[in-house]
Amino acid sequence: MTKKYQSIINKAAPVISLTVIGLLWLTVSEGGLIPGYMLPSPVEVVKAFVNEIPILAEHSVVTLQEALYGLLLGTALGFVFAVLMDRFDFLYKALYPILVISQTIPTIAIAPVLVLWMGFSMAPKITLVVITTFFPITVSLLDGFKGVSEEEINLLRSMGAGKLKIFRHIKLPAAAEQFFSGLKVSASYAVVGAVISEWLGGFEGLGVYMTRVKKAYAFDKMFAVIILISAVSLLLMGAVALLKWLSMPHKRKRNN
Amino acid sequence: MSLLKAENITVSFEGTRIIEKVSLSLEEGETVSLLGVSGGGKTTLFNVLSGLYTPDEGRVYLDGEDITDKAGKISYMLQRDLLLPHKKVKDNVALPLIIRGINKKEARQKAEGYLEEFGLGDTGDKYPHQLSGGMRQRAAFLRTYLASDKVALLDEPFSALDNITKSAIHSWFLSVMSEIRLSALFVTHDIDEAVLLSDRIYLLTGKPGRITDEIIIDLPGEKKDRNPMSSEFIAYKKDIIEKIGVI
């Protein structure tokens, strides 16, 4: 009984906190505590969102395409890097510091350079998403691979398994959990990365829309697009969670 | 000719000699224990026998064939069951067959055929975390058997289990062993376990570890009838304790 009660509380907690924040926002903006040009009320934001749905949908398609292509390529690249770095210790030592340094360079600083090199097409945006998404994948996979104990590797060796079979039967499955954590982070980076790259050059996409409404001081639309971007990111993260659920049935049973 | 024969195995690690001139043999259908204190080099010896480590000196022969440095010839079971959490029990058990290149369906069928005999009846479709410690060791033992039905090296396979489970698994082990005619070399530091399960016992003592004695257990009746409280059983224990020179 207490367990059930606890479970209801756990599920209700985020709903309650979000409702409280929403109500607070509604009160301060509708009550005139903060002027509308500084913080539009949620009602205005919803109105703006509904009115702009056709335009937002068009821009979303572009941003989502960039985010998804970038995420797919970033994941593939991250996977290849992780596998090679795990296999060849020299590569690990040589590349790991460079990877870490690459992540300290602000995305916003690389974006204009990429536009300069590749123009205003989708290519620089996808490239930026690749740069931001592959790192969490590489690091999480590497951690997963390295987490396999020598005992486990020896067990498979004693069965006559070579490096490929050890990778296929132990290392890869052992890294699955970390991989999905990394993919979740990357999925959230992907949308934000695509939006940032659109700020700095382009003709369509949610980032372009955002710069336009910002310049027009249409903050209701600005908030509407922010919420949409969050929603899209959450959806992508949800898709990752679903993928994890589908591909790790042994974890599924444990939770039940 | 012995089924498994190790001759003058010597291993050093970072300048320290771990085991020195260890020779032993295992006949078909025998269970032989290697008894000694922890850290005495038993696991090192097993790594050599299973082909995972190359010894500084000495050779290992299986059926007369030199298998020194060749992994995959004899199977190895460790204290931790090391069942892969993402595979169902039947797939864990079938793993050595799959690694040998047998297709998944066939390997699975063969593994499932043994579940009943090894007391794992309806566990095939379960995941390892759904099994008790004793059942997990049974599954690990079946996996070991499917890795090699000739010789198995068992490295303290039951030492992590509680006493009650351990006693039950000893009876189970003896009954399975009498069915499958597997030859087993058994590492343990539990004297009771060694006397209970073995045909012979090697004592591995000293630093570096050497085989200092070989004791043949000749108790009346079958192994499953051995009684740890009987005077003969206790006499063997006393003898071993004196020879090991500890306690």
Side-chain angles (χ1 to χ4, degrees):
Chain A
M1 187 65 194
T2 30
K3 211 171 177 185
K4 199 174 174 189
Y5 182 65
Q6 191 65 39
S7 150
I8 293 170
I9 290 203
N10 287 345
K11 277 179 189 149
V15 180
I16 295 170
S17 63
L18 276 174
T19 316
V20 169
I21 292 172
L23 283 175
L24 211 67
W25 180 10
L26 190 70
T27 319
V28 292
S29 49
E30 290 290 315
L33 290 171
I34 298 176
Y37 62 87
M38 285 177 80
L39 182 70
S41 91
V43 180
E44 283 167 39
V45 173
V46 171
K47 268 188 205 158
F49 184 80
V50 172
N51 289 338
E52 295 284 295
I53 280 178
I55 301 167
L56 283 172
E58 267 174 47
H59 288 295
S60 297
V61 170
V62 178
T63 307
L64 256 179
Q65 270 180 343
E66 293 160 357
L68 282 177
Y69 289 148
L71 185 60
L72 281 177
L73 279 171
T75 307
L77 193 71
F79 186 82
V80 171
F81 261 73
V83 170
L84 290 176
M85 283 165 74
D86 179 65
R87 175 70 184 80
F88 303 103
D89 204 40
F90 169 77
L91 278 182
Y92 181 82
K93 284 178 182 139
L95 293 178
Y96 200 82
I98 299 176
L99 285 183
V100 174
I101 293 168
S102 78
Q103 294 308 300
T104 61
I105 302 168
T107 324
I108 209 146
I110 318 172
V113 184
L114 292 176
V115 171
L116 191 70
W117 290 345
M118 300 178 182
F120 289 100
S121 66
M122 227 182 227
K125 282 116 188 159
I126 293 173
T127 311
L128 193 85
V129 176
V130 169
I131 292 172
T132 48
T133 54
F134 95 98
F135 183 72
I137 301 285
T138 308
V139 172
S140 58
L141 274 173
L142 271 175
D143 278 352
F145 294 156
K146 301 244 179 253
V148 173
S149 73
E150 206 184 331
E151 268 187 334
E152 287 168 291
I153 293 174
N154 276 347
L155 177 76
L156 258 77
R157 278 182 61 208
S158 81
M159 294 176 188
K163 285 202 154 61
L164 196 67
K165 281 181 176 164
I166 289 176
F167 180 78
R168 151 90 184 75
H169 289 287
I170 315 188
K171 288 201 164 188
L172 196 60
E177 179 113 45
Q178 277 102 324
F179 167 75
F180 282 111
S181 305
L183 189 60
K184 202 171 166 187
V185 175
S186 286
S188 65
Y189 283 4
V191 181
V192 176
V195 169
I196 289 178
S197 66
E198 286 164 356
W199 283 353
L200 297 153
F203 307 106
E204 45 189 355
L206 290 175
V208 174
Y209 175 87
M210 220 171 174
T211 2
R212 278 184 203 154
V213 294
K214 188 187 76 180
K215 281 180 185 156
Y217 291 98
F219 285 142
D220 50 347
K221 289 177 186 169
M222 179 82 170
F223 270 78
V225 72
I226 289 173
I227 290 167
L228 178 63
I229 289 166
S230 294
V232 170
S233 293
L234 285 175
L235 266 178
L236 260 182
M237 285 157 81
V240 172
L242 181 68
L243 200 64
K244 181 182 172 183
W245 190 81
L246 288 173
S247 54
M248 296 179 79
H250 58 292
K251 289 281 168 186
R252 213 184 303 166
K253 289 201 173 173
R254 187 171 298 187
N255 291 341
N256 289 344
Chain B
M1 189 176 58
S2 303
L3 182 61
L4 178 74
K5 200 170 168 62
E7 285 178 353
N8 295 318
I9 307 290
T10 300
V11 180
S12 301
F13 189 64
E14 288 175 351
T16 312
R17 193 154 277 197
I18 311 287
I19 47 173
E20 193 168 62
K21 296 207 178 304
V22 170
S23 297
L24 53 83
S25 64
L26 182 69
E27 307 301 324
E28 207 174 326
E30 251 193 330
T31 301
V32 174
S33 285
L34 200 62
L35 188 66
V37 290
S38 301
K42 292 171 295 198
T43 300
T44 307
L45 178 62
F46 265 27
N47 282 329
V48 171
L49 296 178
S50 60
L52 298 175
Y53 287 178
T54 311
D56 301 338
E57 286 169 43
R59 314 299 302 170
V60 183
Y61 300 95
L62 177 70
D63 258 342
E65 182 199 352
D66 189 341
I67 57 157
T68 320
D69 208 13
K70 283 183 195 157
K73 295 282 181 184
I74 46 185
S75 57
Y76 197 169
M77 175 177 173
L78 295 135
Q79 186 180 341
R80 284 174 56 206
D81 58 72
L82 299 178
L83 295 173
L84 304 178
H86 60 277
K87 284 190 196 284
K88 288 179 178 171
V89 169
K90 60 183 177 193
D91 293 326
N92 260 296
V93 166
L95 186 63
L97 304 174
I98 291 166
I99 284 179
R100 220 177 291 153
I102 296 171
N103 78 57
K104 201 174 172 182
K105 199 180 159 198
E106 209 177 306
R108 206 180 246 183
Q109 263 175 1
K110 189 171 177 193
E112 280 179 312
Y114 282 103
L115 290 176
E116 198 65 52
E117 189 179 347
F118 278 69
L120 290 158
D122 56 349
T123 60
D125 283 312
K126 290 188 174 166
Y127 285 98
H129 72 267
Q130 297 170 306
L131 262 54
S132 67
M135 291 300 259
R136 290 172 64 115
Q137 285 307 97
R138 287 183 189 201
F141 183 64
L142 174 53
R143 180 184 61 194
T144 313
Y145 176 64
L146 290 176
S148 161
D149 53 9
K150 274 187 177 174
V151 180
L153 305 177
L154 313 174
D155 190 353
E156 302 192 16
F158 311 133
S159 65
L161 302 173
D162 62 87
N163 275 337
I164 296 168
T165 312
K166 203 171 177 175
S167 159
I169 213 164
H170 282 156
S171 320
W172 166 84
F173 178 77
L174 288 174
S175 106
V176 170
M177 284 298 275
S178 68
E179 298 286 323
I180 59 177
R181 297 293 297 165
L182 175 75
S183 308
L185 193 59
F186 198 102
V187 155
T188 178
H189 54 243
D190 179 341
I191 299 174
D192 274 280
E193 186 172 68
V195 179
L196 190 68
L197 305 179
S198 319
D199 297 296
R200 277 187 296 133
I201 299 174
Y202 285 112
L203 300 186
L204 185 76
T205 55
K207 277 195 179 197
R210 288 192 189 89
I211 292 201
T212 47
D213 236 305
E214 181 187 344
I215 296 149
I216 296 167
I217 307 291
D218 189 17
L219 287 167
E222 289 183 54
K223 280 187 199 156
K224 66 177 171 50
D225 302 323
R226 288 180 183 177
N227 174 9
M229 305 307 278
S230 72
S231 56
E232 296 102 320
F233 197 103
I234 293 169
Y236 274 116
K237 279 172 66 178
K238 275 186 182 162
D239 183 34
I240 292 168
I241 290 168
E242 273 168 28
K243 283 175 172 155
I244 290 182
V246 290
I247 304 169

